[in-house]
Amino acid sequence: MSFKITVLISGYGSNLQSLIDHCENGFWRAEINHVISNKKAAYGLERARQNDILASYLPYFSKKEPRSVYEMELLSLILSNGKPDLVVCAGWMHVLGVEFLENIQAEGIRIINLHPALPGMFPGTDGIGSAYRAFRANPFRTEKWVGVAGCMVHNVIPEIDAGKVISTFKVPIYSQDSEEDLRNRVQIAEKFCLLEAVSSIILENNKYNKS
Ligand code: GRF
């Protein structure tokens, strides 16, 4: 019996890949049991299929159905392949409502989110771009000035990119950085941050620890 992780994605799935690799190399007694995307073109779906992981696409069309109906369907889909122990939002671009979060909690499933900014900084989309622009706009910045950006993993609560912090990873912003340089650095840090968070959650679940 292994710790079951369902991953919600909307895009490229590099963080998903890092979770897949970590499961496959045997570091954790864990498996990704389902990958769900709200975007059809998400390459992460292909990554799942290539690794024989169930991959589902569930789009949300705000004009077709209320958000609460979509999120009920999402919950059913999450439960459809065996109840996961953990749901990881890894580049998942959809804000989950109170009802969904209450229902998932009632099922005893923990849900966490990876956000590319440090706690309390730049919630919402484009956390990296916002950190970069704030740094560039700093009037005290000099050629030697080094700023701080980073990422975090937190429990999902109704407030966007808030919730108890599980792990953080800081990275420097250098004066000569382009936004792309910072993006690359934060996206590397995200892998470490996510692995640390998931590792700590698995270790809390004593029954899955390897002897
Ligand atoms: C990550 O930077 C994540 O924090 C952000 O979107 C990106 C997703 O990357 N919200 P990937 O799909 O895991 O490659």
Side-chain angles (χ1 to χ4, degrees):
M1 190 173 153
S2 63
F3 187 85
K4 285 192 178 51
I5 304 170
T6 291
V7 186
L8 307 186
I9 58 160
S10 301
Y12 187 56
S14 61
N15 290 288
L16 163 69
Q17 187 67 55
S18 145
L19 294 175
I20 293 173
D21 294 345
H22 230 63
C23 287
E24 301 241 311
N25 68 18
F27 273 123
W28 298 327
R29 192 185 291 170
E31 62 172 301
I32 314 281
N33 76 330
H34 202 167
V35 171
I36 301 172
S37 172
N38 59 353
K39 300 283 177 224
K40 196 173 191 176
Y43 181 65
L45 287 172
E46 183 55 30
R47 293 180 191 270
R49 288 185 204 107
Q50 281 170 6
N51 286 277
D52 296 321
I53 297 168
L54 177 65
S56 302
Y57 162 55
L58 187 69
Y60 171 53
F61 300 109
S62 55
K63 287 184 186 136
K64 247 175 78 182
E65 60 182 350
R67 177 174 286 263
S68 58
V69 172
Y70 172 73
E71 292 181 0
M72 284 308 288
E73 286 171 34
L74 178 63
L75 183 62
S76 304
L77 191 58
I78 288 171
L79 296 173
S80 68
N81 193 34
K83 190 192 284 198
D85 299 282
L86 177 69
V87 172
V88 178
C89 301
W92 165 254
M93 304 304 283
H94 174 96
V95 178
L96 295 162
V98 181
E99 207 181 328
F100 173 88
L101 294 173
E102 282 173 359
N103 287 332
I104 204 156
Q105 194 181 8
E107 291 288 344
I109 302 169
R110 187 158 176 188
I111 178 162
I112 62 173
N113 178 51
L114 171 65
H115 180 60
L118 291 170
M121 307 289 290
F122 315 117
T125 54
D126 199 21
I128 300 171
S130 301
Y132 183 75
R133 285 188 293 278
F135 176 70
R136 300 295 300 182
N138 186 333
F140 302 109
R141 184 172 53 86
T142 65
E143 276 311 293
K144 290 195 174 151
W145 188 274
V146 179
V148 180
C151 56
M152 66 165 167
V153 175
H154 61 92
N155 287 340
V156 178
I157 61 168
E159 196 183 333
I160 297 172
D161 300 323
K164 185 175 155 257
V165 175
I166 304 159
S167 60
T168 59
F169 204 109
K170 288 183 185 162
V171 301
I173 316 178
Y174 301 111
S175 261
Q176 64 275 22
D177 274 345
S178 66
E179 189 174 328
E180 206 45 36
D181 292 331
L182 179 62
R183 188 168 307 282
N184 290 337
R185 203 173 296 128
V186 172
Q187 288 183 343
I188 290 168
E190 283 187 321
K191 310 312 181 273
F192 296 114
C193 196
L194 184 56
L195 294 178
E196 183 186 329
V198 174
S199 296
S200 71
I201 291 169
I202 292 174
L203 288 171
E204 281 167 21
N205 266 275
N206 226 358
K207 62 183 170 175
Y208 298 112
N209 293 341
K210 284 190 168 174
S211 52

